[in-house]
Amino acid sequence: MRRTLWVTYGTLWCERLWLAFWPLAAWILFGVGLARLIPSLSFAGIGVYCIIFLGLSVFGALRLHAPRFGQAIERVDATLLGRPLFSLMDAQATGNAELWDLQQAKLRSVAKKARPHAGHFQISHLDPFGLRFIALLTCCVGVLFGSGGLSFDQGRRDLGTALAANGGTWEGWIIPPEYTQQPTVYLLDVLTETPLSVFQGSIIELRTYSETDAWVDQDVTDQDVVDGTVMRIPIQRSGTLQITSDPKTTWSIQVEQDAPPMVQITSDFSADYFGASQLPYAAQDDFGVVSGRLLVDLDAALLDRRFGLIPDYQGPSTVEMPLAFSLRSLRTDMKAVAEQDFSESVWAHLPVRIRVEVTDGAGNTTLSEPLFTTLPARRFFDPLAASLIELRRDVLWSSENDRRALRLMRALTYKPHSEFIRETHYLLLRNIMDRWNTALVTSNTKVAREKIAQDLWSLAMAIEEGDVDDALARMRKAQERLSEAIKNGASPEEIEKLMQDLRAANENYLRQLRQEAERDMAEMTPEERSLADQDQMQMSMDQLQEMMDRIQDLMEQGRMAEAMQALDEFQDMVENMQMAQSPQGGESGTPSETLDDLSNTLREQQGLSDQAFDQLQDQFNGTPSDQSGDDLAQRQQDLQNQLNRQRDNLPNLDGKAARDGQRALRQAQEAMKDAERALREENLDGALDRQAEAMDALREGIKSIDQAMAENSENGQGTNQQNAGGERSDPLGRSQGVGGQNGNSDASVGDADIDEKQNAIMDEIRRRTGDLERSDKERDYLKRLLERF
């Protein structure tokens, strides 16, 4: 028992000392590490350290409070059941002696289980910043890695002693260039007559620990090196280094030149459909390549000097692009690929000279043998988009093309109905033309040039990519041009070019179909997605590709009649595929009846929402409601079913507006379903929000369906088709009579005259729409006319 108490008392003393002097202990550890890491501390630094040491000693002494032995007894007693130690100190005052002895014996048996107290050494509350751990880390680093003048081997100590006897001690190192990643040479380890081979750019660092004058003699550098306690001598050439205090300490320095890197282009450029190109190359260096760049020069001697390329190019003669190296690549012997997209370069598809330049760590640079090629870039297969890209190149090529570019813009917008599929594209080009004309008038083309070029690029991309309908229209045009060429006996070169155009248009169309299918699948419900026949669409795409290959083979064999028949089959396959992509429905009424039904559903939804709002007000006022939530939910479900039937009865419509309309109606149906669920849960706030979403989607759907019907009427579908009575209607819905005659005139007007008049009217409307001097109100009205017809 006494041993336990004395151990606890000693622990209590240690605890008090630690709490009082832990800052001093941390400062001592920090000082030991600092002395090992910085062996040559100044006297000022040592003085500051000693002052802080004394201050922390006084601070600890003032905080130290000597513990009492009774405190040790109290700590041990607190760990035992019933606190027996203090009870054993009591004396019997009265009562039965036997009972007292029995109680004392029981207390002594419990006291025998006592163990020394571990003490309280936790000081996190006193050291919230962890200064003690910083001091411990500094001490460990200093002991493990610091020298402090104590870590030299015996040979170094002996040499240092010998040199000290001659009047001084010193140390020296040769530090190689960082890029070589070679170790530092310690001069005291290489006391030999064999020349030391080092790379140019290495540094000799010398340090003396005695007061001496000129103590170094060297001829390895032309720089002025001032003698002092620390000297850094850059090695520029071969020579000798000598410590004058000892003739035996002489080294012969032999400088090795770093070999320049090697690089070569291993293959020609390769580019994908979208213009991203790859240029394989290989590079080697003894210590590794650190940087590189791709140099592109215009090969002016091979330029076809026609049209916008007649003037001299006014841009930079060389285009430089940095090469990106993989972090994991072995740069001493690397095979890499330079990836770049030159589609927006003004030199796209022009003759150029390509070179790869690499640099090593020593600054040596090497150029590869040039590759003479055509700069790869994205190809634009739409004729209008290709024209805009060429126009953009002329704008960026030379200021001498400025007037010519304006004339080309005017030519492209002269007859928009024959060039533009979308009205917005025509209006965008008119806007670009007006801004370019303004820049020419105000002599501000230098500022406007880059913006005009960027807008031309964006417009060309929009026309080239478009959507499924645009891609289909381009494919039909390409097929018509090829058919006409075969009928008219065009040359094999012309037919081959047109066949390439048709194949590119077909690939673009199939790509747009896949993208649209992915978007539609993402918006479908799980039930609709399970019914979608993706395999059938993939099979149709494969059949189109097979048909293209068959047409190609027939034309190469000169069997033009069979090729014409195959083209007709190809057209039929495209039409069938387009019909398969259109929304399917059941029996449909007239377009006006369809829109009327949807409008009635919208009105009924509005009425149901008003009743739900009235019921919400009744809840706030505490008045009973005429209808329950289940009644309103049932009516909401009936409206949802009604909208579902109306969606099934919609006529087959093509185009983006039709797809937008179907998507909006599907969103309205989903919102109705959520509103029904909220009504059954008596959540009138949530139901009103969902009903508002359903009405917004219904309005958008009705607007899109109406627009789709108008567009399909213009394309010869829907109301523009000949009805059972043989009457036809024009794009404005007016009767043309039987056989296409106008219903209010006996005179028969030919189809060619009608088309000519319609085109003239549309051209005049477009011209007025692009006239910036007209009022905004008039131009908005004209834009609505263009969107409608």
Side-chain angles (χ1 to χ4, degrees), residues 608-734:
L608 181 59
S609 180
D610 292 340
Q611 293 184 12
F613 181 77
D614 293 339
Q615 185 169 340
L616 181 63
Q617 285 185 322
D618 292 339
Q619 286 185 358
F620 285 131
N621 297 331
T623 58
S625 177
D626 297 336
Q627 298 186 72
S628 65
D630 289 337
D631 294 337
L632 295 177
Q634 184 59 44
R635 291 179 57 190
Q636 185 67 73
Q637 184 180 5
D638 294 341
L639 275 179
Q640 178 189 346
N641 296 334
Q642 178 178 312
L643 177 59
N644 187 48
R645 290 191 298 270
Q646 291 168 354
R647 285 182 59 201
D648 293 338
N649 292 333
L650 284 174
N652 290 328
L653 299 173
D654 299 335
K656 183 176 183 299
R659 294 192 299 274
D660 292 343
Q662 282 282 4
R663 187 179 300 112
L665 294 181
R666 184 164 59 246
Q667 293 173 354
Q669 193 170 351
E670 291 293 329
M672 288 181 177
K673 185 176 180 180
D674 294 337
E676 175 201 349
R677 185 182 304 110
L679 288 171
R680 294 192 185 280
E681 296 172 355
E682 300 293 332
N683 181 13
L684 293 177
D685 287 335
L688 287 172
D689 291 338
R690 303 292 83 76
Q691 288 172 341
E693 293 175 3
M695 287 186 288
D696 290 340
L698 269 173
R699 294 188 187 97
E700 186 65 29
I702 293 172
K703 178 182 177 182
S704 298
I705 294 297
D706 186 20
Q707 180 182 352
M709 288 180 176
E711 293 174 352
N712 281 260
S713 295
E714 293 178 4
N715 295 332
Q717 301 179 11
T719 60
N720 197 38
Q721 293 179 345
Q722 186 171 343
N723 58 25
E727 294 185 355
R728 299 176 63 188
S729 60
D730 63 7
L732 298 179
R734 299 171 297 189

Side-chain angles (χ1 to χ4, degrees), residues 217-262:
D217 187 15
Q218 55 83 25
D219 58 357
V220 297
T221 183
D222 293 329
Q223 295 184 11
D224 293 333
V225 180
V226 180
D227 288 343
T229 57
V230 178
M231 301 174 61
R232 290 178 62 87
I233 306 171
I235 300 178
Q236 297 177 335
R237 60 175 179 270
S238 300
T240 59
L241 171 68
Q242 182 180 11
I243 306 300
T244 57
S245 58
D246 186 357
K248 296 180 180 180
T249 54
T250 302
W251 294 267
S252 177
I253 307 297
Q254 183 67 39
V255 174
E256 294 184 5
Q257 299 294 331
D258 184 19
M262 296 184 294

Side-chain angles (χ1 to χ4, degrees), residues 271-277 341-344 348-349 375-379:
D272 60 14
Y273 178 83
F274 298 99
S277 59
D341 189 348
F342 296 99
S343 298
E344 296 189 48
H349 305 299
L375 190 64
R378 176 172 183 156
R379 291 194 175 276

Side-chain angles (χ1 to χ4, degrees), residues 118-153:
H120 302 292
F121 294 93
Q122 182 59 255
I123 59 170
S124 298
H125 61 289
L126 300 176
D127 184 20
F129 299 105
L131 298 178
R132 62 194 186 281
F133 299 116
I134 296 175
L136 179 61
L137 177 62
T138 304
C139 181
C140 292
V141 172
V143 170
L144 293 176
F145 304 106
S147 61
L150 303 175
S151 61
F152 302 118
D153 57 28

